[in-house]
Amino acid sequence: MTTWLLVAHIAVLGYWLGAELVINSTYRYVCYSVEDPFEARDRLMDHVMHVDQHVRYALVLQATLGTLLAMQLGYLPGGTSAQAWVILLGGGWLALVELVHRRRARPVGERLARADRMLRALLIALLIAFAAGLFEAGAYLPGWFRWKLTAFAGVMACGVAIRLVLLRHFATWREMATNGASPVLDREVQRLYWRATGVLLLLWGLIALMTFLSVAKPA
Ligand code: HEM
């Protein structure tokens, strides 16, 4: 069972990075295809947001699979019922991610997205407190695992930062839908693309660091 969890944990890493690459290159295409009619770019942008779901699933899956692995390998306390809770909470989080996406065009979507961002902020704070040894269960974790959890908090923070950039992208996008595209609005959309890509590069750096820590287990 532990071996299969590890296989799934590593497979999700590939799934995550593959989805990120597709999203980023399609997002760039949308921002730079200034000669295309806005309707065509808008349809493709909608597709970007569908594909974007995959990185959101991947984050939740890594958190769930990683926690289960940590329990099975004895890094964290937790028997069968604690592991069942982890699966249940992971499933609930996945359902929330899906709901936020499906309701994004309705007024309730805004509130759900805010709740999701707040949940992530809370998890980031908890992860850092845990990695710092403030909870008893985390006090005996090896150093590499603490750094890995801190880097994971950084990955989550980068995800939230990208969403905040995307909120500004969509405000400009709506302006384009109302008044038509213009060189000024296109430049703004491209500027935001580079800002999101800068954060994404940091996120990839943190994922590379987590992979290194997991394989090398330096301390
Ligand atoms: C972006 C997120 C993550 C990445 C890229 C990642 C990457 C990896 C990789 C590549 C391995 C395999 C190491 C090996 O077999 O040599 C691994 C193992 C592991 N990961 Fe993760 N991981 C992530 C998130 C997490 C999280 C959030 C946790 C816990 C909460 C976690 C817990 C573990 C555990 C316990 C192992 C097994 C370590 C061992 O073999 O002793 N991972 N991870």
Side-chain angles (χ1 to χ4, degrees):
M1 178 66 178
T2 310
T3 310
W4 285 110
L5 275 178
L6 193 57
V7 169
H9 193 54
I10 294 170
V12 170
L13 170 59
Y15 166 58
W16 189 335
L17 291 182
E20 293 273 23
L21 280 174
V22 174
I23 294 159
N24 188 262
S25 83
T26 319
Y27 177 29
R28 183 176 58 224
Y29 182 85
V30 167
C31 295
Y32 279 88
S33 56
V34 294
E35 302 297 330
D36 290 357
F38 179 75
E39 291 68 29
R41 295 170 76 189
D42 191 41
R43 267 206 309 279
L44 202 50
M45 192 63 216
D46 208 40
H47 176 67
V48 170
M49 294 320 289
H50 281 301
V51 185
D52 196 48
Q53 275 302 90
H54 292 286
V55 298
R56 295 169 192 214
Y57 299 148
L59 184 139
V60 178
L61 287 173
Q62 280 305 54
T64 310
L65 291 168
T67 310
L68 288 173
L69 260 177
M71 286 174 158
Q72 295 206 356
L73 292 170
Y75 292 108
L76 294 175
T80 314
S81 70
Q83 290 179 32
W85 270 108
V86 171
I87 294 171
L88 215 66
L89 289 173
W93 192 5
L94 266 184
L96 174 66
V97 164
E98 191 58 21
L99 199 66
V100 169
H101 177 65
R102 288 181 186 231
R103 297 285 182 271
R104 70 191 188 286
R106 305 189 196 167
V108 68
E110 178 61 33
R111 288 198 295 279
L112 281 170
R114 207 173 308 132
D116 186 50
R117 283 197 296 274
M118 280 167 70
L119 172 69
R120 281 164 204 262
L122 181 73
L123 285 176
I124 290 168
L126 280 176
L127 267 178
I128 291 174
F130 198 80
L134 295 187
F135 298 114
E136 209 196 323
Y140 305 103
L141 283 179
W144 67 268
F145 207 138
R146 287 167 191 270
W147 283 111
K148 181 170 175 171
L149 293 181
T150 310
F152 194 58
V155 166
M156 288 179 62
C158 287
V160 173
I162 292 174
R163 279 168 200 215
L164 295 177
V165 177
L166 279 180
L167 284 180
R168 293 183 55 196
H169 165 91
F170 280 111
T172 314
W173 206 244
R174 278 193 296 276
E175 218 178 312
M176 277 188 179
T178 316
N179 304 324
S182 69
V184 175
L185 293 177
D186 277 328
R187 268 199 302 278
E188 174 64 3
V189 159
Q190 288 160 7
R191 193 181 66 79
L192 291 170
Y193 162 77
W194 283 108
R195 181 168 294 184
T197 301
V199 184
L200 186 65
L201 287 175
L202 177 61
L203 189 152
W204 284 351
L206 288 169
I207 290 187
L209 173 68
M210 291 179 75
T211 305
F212 167 76
L213 289 170
S214 313
V215 174
K217 302 186 182 69

